[in-house]
Amino acid sequence: MAFQKPTGTQDLLPGVVEKWQFVEEKARDLCRRFNYREIRTPIFEQTSLFVRGVGETTDIVEKEMYTFNDKGDRSMTLRPEGTAGVVRAYVENKIYGEPDVSKLYYIGPMFRYERPQAGRQRQFHQFGVEAIGALDPAIDAEVIALGYQLCVELGLKDVKVEINSVGNPTSRAEYREKLLGFLRPMKDSLCKDCQSRMERNPLRVLDCKVDQDKFVGAPSILDSLDEESLNHFAKLKEYLDDFGVDYAVNNRLVRGLDYYTLTAFELKAQGIGAIDTVGGGGRYNGLVGDIGGPDQPGIGFGIGLERIQLILEHQNIDVSSLAPLDVYFVALGEAADREVNRQLFKLRQSGLSGERDYLGRKMKAQMKSADRFKARYTAILGDDELERGEIALKSMDTGEQQTVKLDDLVSAIRESK
């Protein structure tokens, strides 16, 4: 072929895309119940937004961003994550002027230049939520519970949450010195990334996937939390207990982004080997101010939809890939063919789904087509039935057939649902 899809991308074809729609509709319904409203931000933004918002020492900024100069010689980047763009929109559009907490969600593509593998693509998709404007740990628990509930309602098995507190700037500064004291003696044995980040952001070292076995005896950040951070974390755990969320404390969980403060968490489900993380997030109490807005706290998460689909498949969770049609029309004769067109459009206008043959096939082939579309009914119209103003309506489940008036067809099908 002359053209193929770019490495790290995929075509979501009919029969597969319906599974994605199922997950997305679940997410949208859950956000409706939790009172989160959708926000849609540009797919590309100024590069400096992500450098400042995500953090210079992150893998995303250092290695993975798709960055280009536009025709005005401005540096632009395809969004590698959702939070920075949402916070930029929150500031630019002065959403902070609203009296209530801003509870927002997004669904869309993100872009990172990574080595493609199972559950990890260069163009991938995320569902995420952001709650901006409240410091109350109850909103932390709500955000975590929303992500947890999505996994549960999708039917994922062994759903659990790992939580940690990365403290506020004061307690994190104290922990930084303790951690450096632990890391410096082993600096030469660490990977190049860890060596580079050690002095700039030592907490990021704990997120390294190469040297994890060397950090077994690392000091716990929980031992450095001040009273404010400890109280916030304790209340968060109480709220999660009240919700019945299955969680565990992981004191080495720091997440891969620089903007997190206090709460950090990951959502997990039974996966394929090490692939069990569905998504994660945390608090970003300084991010709104860093991007140029008023000092507003926030918390959010991102869930990878590719990862969700991978785990659904691995756990053999049946998600219907094709919604059944209400009616498949079969026309026998030229006059009947024109009336079928009229009836099909009328059916669709009423909110029902329908299809017909456009290839001039025989009745037997048309009935096979109705089977493939999983139609509930086949409506068969010949010229004789047309003269009487009637149509034959056959149930594809039972094989029973009845004759109904053409004018009553839509109501007959609707009453049978």
Side-chain angles (χ1 to χ4, degrees), residues 77 103 106 116 172 188 249 251 301 333 336:
T77 294
K103 298 167 65 173
Y106 59 86
R172 199 156 55 248
D188 292 341
V249 176
N251 61 18
F301 68 69

Side-chain angles (χ1 to χ4, degrees), residues 116-355:
Q117 53 187 293
R120 192 182 296 271
Q121 299 288 329
R122 291 178 177 176
Q123 176 178 310
F124 59 102
H125 300 78
Q126 280 191 345
F127 159 63
V129 307
E130 314 291 348
I132 308 175
L135 189 56
D136 191 335
I139 199 75
D140 300 42
E142 177 181 282
V143 166
I144 294 171
L146 193 160
Y148 177 84
Q149 190 64 24
L150 175 63
C151 296
V152 170
E153 293 191 13
L154 288 173
L156 302 186
K157 301 169 186 172
D158 296 331
V159 180
K160 60 184 178 180
V161 179
E162 289 188 354
I163 63 172
N164 192 25
S165 176
V166 294
N168 56 25
T170 302
S171 58
R172 199 156 55 248
E174 178 185 329
Y175 176 65
R176 183 181 189 278
E177 295 307 313
K178 291 181 181 179
L179 184 58
L180 280 172
F182 172 81
L183 294 174
R184 280 173 177 148
M186 64 175 73
K187 181 176 181 179
D188 292 341
S189 69
L190 299 178
C191 72
K192 291 183 179 180
D193 285 341
C194 287
Q195 292 179 19
S196 170
R197 292 170 182 156
M198 185 178 297
E199 300 300 330
R200 291 183 295 160
N201 189 351
L203 269 72
R204 285 282 292 113
V205 175
L206 295 180
D207 200 41
C208 176
K209 302 299 184 289
V210 176
D211 292 323
Q212 275 298 310
D213 59 321
K214 298 174 183 176
F215 306 143
V216 174
S220 170
I221 192 170
L222 299 179
D223 296 330
S224 296
L225 297 183
D226 58 15
E227 186 176 358
E228 175 195 21
S229 301
L230 282 170
N231 288 340
H232 190 279
F233 196 48
K235 288 184 177 180
L236 168 63
K237 290 185 284 186
E238 289 175 1
Y239 289 130
L240 292 177
D241 288 335
D242 291 342
F243 294 159
V245 171
D246 184 9
Y247 72 89
V249 176
N250 177 358
N251 61 18
R252 283 174 34 204
L253 174 62
V254 296
R255 298 289 296 155
L257 306 178
D258 284 356
Y259 50 58
Y260 288 123
T261 59
L262 296 173
T263 304
F265 64 94
E266 288 187 344
L267 297 156
K268 294 180 177 290
Q270 184 186 86
I272 304 172
I275 302 175
D276 62 354
T277 300
V278 176
R283 270 205 167 270
Y284 44 85
N285 289 349
L287 182 59
V288 177
D290 285 345
I291 288 178
D295 187 19
Q296 290 283 341
I299 182 169
F301 68 69
I303 287 179
L305 298 186
E306 281 80 1
R307 191 66 58 87
I308 288 278
Q309 293 294 336
L310 188 68
I311 294 177
L312 283 170
E313 182 179 355
H314 176 68
Q315 294 186 358
N316 295 315
I317 297 170
D318 182 27
V319 176
S320 178
S321 62
L322 186 63
L325 283 177
D326 290 311
V327 185
Y328 189 94
F329 284 88
V330 175
L332 305 174
E334 186 175 338
D337 186 81
R338 182 171 180 181
E339 179 62 23
V340 156
N341 262 349
R342 192 180 76 84
Q343 290 291 333
L344 177 58
F345 187 69
K346 181 180 175 183
L347 180 96
R348 289 167 172 170
Q349 281 182 311
S350 75
L352 298 172
S353 60
E355 187 56 279

Side-chain angles (χ1 to χ4, degrees), residues 355-402:
E355 187 56 279
R356 57 153 293 171
D357 177 64
Y358 294 100
L359 301 175
R361 293 175 293 189
K362 301 294 185 182
M363 182 174 176
K364 184 177 179 181
Q366 292 188 49
M367 296 299 287
K368 287 183 178 180
S369 185
D371 276 333
R372 286 194 297 273
F373 284 115
K374 301 179 181 178
R376 295 195 302 121
Y377 291 96
T378 302
I380 305 168
L381 183 65
D383 288 344
D384 290 343
E385 289 87 359
L386 180 58
E387 285 185 11
R388 298 194 300 269
E390 297 174 342
I391 190 167
L393 190 62
K394 180 181 179 180
S395 169
M396 298 297 283
D397 286 335
T398 65
E400 293 181 2
Q401 184 168 310
Q402 60 178 309

